[in-house]
Amino acid sequence: MLTKEEKQKQIEAARMHDSDTGSSAVQVSILSSRIQQMNNHLKNNHKDRHSRRGLVGLVEQRRKHLSYIKRKNSKLYESIVEKLGLRK
């Protein structure tokens, strides 16, 4: 689970303007952090099937947000993918 400070860092890194806390770009950034933490957890607890199912759900949410961003603004999509180091 992300701490409040970690989540705030992700919001500040991805926001478009000062009051942006829920745009798709911010949500992708937060989801990427949660996915990374879940991957680290599953490396140590490889039999944790419930967390694996949660990870699949997070990846699916991120994929949907990214496809929305790609459809609306392809330049923003490219910058997000590059910044977060995601595969296309």
Side-chain angles (χ1 to χ4, degrees):
M1 185 169 170
L2 288 177
T3 63
K4 190 173 185 178
E5 293 81 21
E6 291 170 343
K7 190 172 184 178
Q8 191 63 33
K9 285 181 192 176
Q10 293 299 321
I11 290 172
E12 288 176 9
R15 67 184 179 184
M16 302 298 165
H17 50 82
D18 291 339
S19 62
D20 182 13
T21 58
S23 68
S24 292
V26 171
Q27 291 182 44
V28 167
S29 179
I30 292 170
L31 286 169
S32 294
S33 295
R34 290 181 61 198
I35 289 169
Q36 184 62 38
Q37 284 185 343
M38 191 73 74
N39 275 332
N40 292 336
H41 169 77
L42 287 172
K43 285 179 184 175
N44 297 328
N45 304 289
H46 63 277
K47 290 187 176 184
D48 189 355
R49 304 291 180 210
H50 294 286
S51 291
R52 188 171 307 278
R53 185 175 188 277
L55 174 65
V56 170
L58 292 175
V59 170
E60 183 66 20
Q61 279 184 341
R62 182 177 70 180
R63 187 188 63 78
K64 286 180 181 180
H65 283 290
L66 283 171
S67 66
Y68 171 79
I69 293 170
K70 187 175 184 179
R71 198 171 58 240
K72 294 293 183 180
N73 187 349
S74 62
K75 290 183 181 181
L76 177 62
Y77 171 79
E78 292 294 330
S79 69
I80 290 172
V81 168
E82 183 180 324
K83 185 188 300 183
L84 296 175
L86 302 175
R87 291 184 288 157
K88 292 184 182 181

